[in-house]
Amino acid sequence: MNNEIVAGCSCGEVEFNSTKNPVIQVCCHCSDCRESTNSDYTTIAFFNSSAVSVSGDLSAEEFTSESGNKTVRELCPKCRTVMFDRSEGFPGLIGVVAQQISAPFKAKVSHHVWVISKLAHVSIPREVKRFEKGIS
Ligand SMILES: [Zn+2]
Ligand SMILES: [Zn+2]
């Protein structure tokens, strides 16, 4: 298939593929995302759950995000790579941590969310939409 998008964890246990392009791509500045990926913010590509397949064991951590939505974050139990984010706020979608998606995929972020929690030194490009909190 020509347009297949593939993602995986560092050890190769978890594999993701999608036959469709992501529906929306966001950078999330919330503290949960920053801590889970150990970075200034996390780029997440959301795909339609019906167009994806996931293989491999995952361990799930459930928490309530800053928005109040229940969120399940799924990671590889072996290498602890954070892979997926499923939130009540995005029903029918699965969020994939963009840094785990293989080339030639390039993230094209259209929205920055939870800018209220953004680190001071991080600047946001002018052409993207910014939301103080989640997308409403
Ligand atoms: Zn792994
Ligand atoms: Zn977040």
Side-chain angles (χ1 to χ4, degrees):
M1 234 170 284
N2 47 3
N3 233 359
E4 193 161 76
I5 294 170
V6 180
C9 66
S10 323
C11 77
E13 167 77 19
V14 180
E15 271 180 22
F16 164 96
N17 48 70
S18 174
T19 52
K20 297 229 170 77
N21 285 322
V23 182
I24 184 171
Q25 299 178 56
V26 305
C27 284
C28 186
H29 296 266
C30 83
S31 53
D32 297 316
C33 285
R34 285 195 273 111
E35 277 164 32
S36 73
T37 57
N38 221 333
S39 49
D40 288 347
Y41 54 84
T42 303
T43 305
I44 304 173
F46 285 92
F47 293 84
N48 216 314
S49 310
S50 60
V52 310
S53 69
V54 175
S55 67
D57 274 339
L58 286 159
S59 65
E61 288 173 359
E62 197 179 302
F63 64 98
T64 303
S65 70
E66 286 183 63
S67 57
N69 288 319
K70 275 212 181 64
T71 297
V72 178
R73 183 162 287 148
E74 294 177 320
L75 55 153
C76 172
K78 288 186 185 158
C79 65
R80 311 296 294 169
T81 304
V82 177
M83 291 294 298
F84 308 119
D85 196 277
R86 300 178 199 255
S87 170
E88 275 183 341
F90 294 101
L93 300 182
I94 176 170
V96 183
V97 175
Q99 67 196 33
Q100 301 309 129
I101 303 176
S102 311
F105 178 81
K106 276 209 178 67
K108 279 199 202 93
V109 170
S110 54
H111 298 67
H112 278 234
V113 299
W114 290 97
V115 173
I116 200 166
S117 303
K118 180 178 83 60
L119 298 177
H121 69 270
V122 175
S123 58
I124 296 178
R126 223 180 281 167
E127 64 274 16
V128 302
K129 294 200 179 92
R130 48 192 290 165
F131 293 83
E132 286 300 296
K133 296 185 173 179
I135 297 170
S136 48

